[in-house]
Amino acid sequence: MDFIDPHIHMVSRVTDDYETLARMGCVAVSEPAFWAGFDRGTADGFRDYFEQLTAVEPKRAAQFGIQHYCWLCINAKEAENVSLSREVISMIPEFLDRPGVLGIGEIGLNKNTKNEATVFLEHMELAIKYDQPILIHTPHLEDKYQGTRMILDMLCDDSRINPDRVLVDHVEEHTVSEVLDRGFWAGMTLYPVTKCTPDRAADMIERHAGERLLANSAGDWGISKPTAVPDLIFTMRRRGMDEALIRKVVHDNPVEFFSKSKQFHYTPR
């Protein structure tokens, strides 16, 4: 089955991972801007990173027939540095018209601090000004519920934000319903240790009939598995779930959400 990984950090993966994904049916990936495994010290470091996301990775993916898209921001882990964040945010418009740039993300909260919230709101302003969809990072583990509620409240407090153009990622059982009930899209991240297993994701898909749900690997520098979406496909098939529902979650929903960006020019296989 053709599938799209809507959240994977390919700059942290070897080229062999592209080949493996292609062999397993991956036709497109979406790469949100995130952490480099260390805190960058200057805005120029982010400029080089944005160049990598918009110019280098699409060529690397294309070698294996995979279409590469990306999102731009300064991530929540580095947002505690407000002055640096503002430098980076002011630079982002230079890249927004490049092919494959879908919007602003992954923005959100890491430790739910005041500075993180300030930078989150300034990213929101950027997205509104340039009419960009938004991809949201929600915190991990014990901070997830509080951080998710803080993020949803900030989004809903601004009437200019259209929930249908916002994907709230890394949902779990205790956050997915509120994200969907408020009209947002929800992403389930399949990690070997934290976040969500394929079985837990399948439970959420059954509960919500796959509506506005996406599944991703978020493969990055840490313990992660770039082939997690095929694992979910296998799990859903093992449970006897309908093929149309499986395709909806792993292919059709990403296409529908990403189509809200004027830069999404997807060619189905």
Side-chain angles (χ1 to χ4, degrees):
M1 177 180 289
D2 288 352
F3 73 91
I4 295 172
D5 193 328
H7 185 148
I8 185 169
H9 301 285
M10 293 307 295
V11 300
S12 67
R13 313 303 309 192
V14 297
T15 302
D16 288 358
D17 287 338
Y18 273 121
E19 182 175 15
T20 299
L21 286 169
R23 288 178 181 273
M24 300 186 87
C26 182
V27 292
V29 296
S30 159
E31 180 159 5
F34 194 50
W35 194 50
F38 64 95
D39 290 348
R40 302 171 182 89
T42 67
D44 283 340
F46 280 89
R47 183 183 297 278
D48 289 342
Y49 177 45
F50 296 160
E51 190 70 29
Q52 183 180 14
L53 287 177
T54 59
V56 178
E57 286 305 314
K59 293 178 181 177
R60 203 158 68 110
Q63 296 177 75
F64 305 97
I66 295 175
Q67 298 168 61
H68 181 280
Y69 301 91
C70 69
W71 305 71
L72 303 177
C73 73
I74 179 168
N75 68 90
K77 287 176 72 70
E78 293 171 272
E80 197 63 34
N81 187 334
V82 176
S83 60
L84 175 61
S85 297
R86 286 174 173 157
E87 285 186 67
V88 175
I89 290 171
S90 69
M91 179 179 64
I92 288 174
E94 299 174 28
F95 294 87
L96 289 177
D97 288 332
R98 291 200 176 187
V101 176
L102 298 183
I104 304 302
E106 57 183 300
I107 63 172
L109 300 175
N110 181 44
K111 296 298 184 183
N112 303 339
T113 68
K114 181 179 178 181
N115 283 348
E116 291 170 8
T118 295
V119 173
F120 177 82
L121 290 170
E122 293 186 14
H123 274 111
M124 273 178 51
E125 286 295 330
L126 179 69
I128 292 165
K129 180 178 179 179
Y130 289 93
D131 191 29
Q132 299 290 313
I134 299 173
L135 195 156
I136 302 290
H137 165 90
T138 53
H140 305 299
L141 302 175
E142 68 272 8
D143 295 317
K144 180 170 291 292
Y145 182 74
Q146 178 187 359
T148 301
R149 289 293 302 271
M150 289 173 63
I151 289 167
L152 295 179
D153 288 345
M154 285 188 284
L155 290 165
C156 291
D157 283 347
D158 195 321
S159 61
R160 299 171 297 170
I161 293 291
N162 177 1
D164 194 46
R165 299 187 76 208
V166 179
L167 170 60
V168 180
D169 219 332
H170 314 320
V171 299
E172 295 181 23
E173 293 87 344
H174 57 307
T175 60
V176 61
S177 293
E178 184 162 3
V179 169
L180 295 174
D181 289 347
R182 295 211 202 186
F184 300 97
W185 291 71
M188 304 170 294
T189 296
L190 310 168
Y191 260 20
V193 181
T194 60
K195 296 190 176 77
C196 198
T197 64
D199 276 306
R200 289 168 57 201
D203 288 343
M204 285 187 272
I205 292 165
E206 287 182 328
R207 190 174 308 122
H208 298 282
E211 292 301 319
R212 283 180 284 121
L213 280 174
L214 286 72
N216 64 75
S217 69
D220 60 10
W221 306 99
I223 298 173
S224 52
K225 188 178 182 183
T227 57
V229 177
D231 288 348
L232 175 63
I233 293 171
F234 177 79
T235 295
M236 294 176 74
R237 282 177 171 160
R238 185 168 49 95
R239 289 188 179 201
M241 297 170 73
D242 189 78
E243 286 288 308
L245 176 59
I246 299 172
R247 181 177 173 84
K248 178 182 179 68
V249 172
V250 304
H251 181 273
D252 297 348
N253 281 354
V255 169
E256 183 178 348
F257 177 73
F258 293 156
S259 295
K260 301 174 190 304
S261 170
K262 60 185 178 182
Q263 297 281 70
F264 186 63
H265 304 296
Y266 173 63
T267 304
R269 182 160 57 180

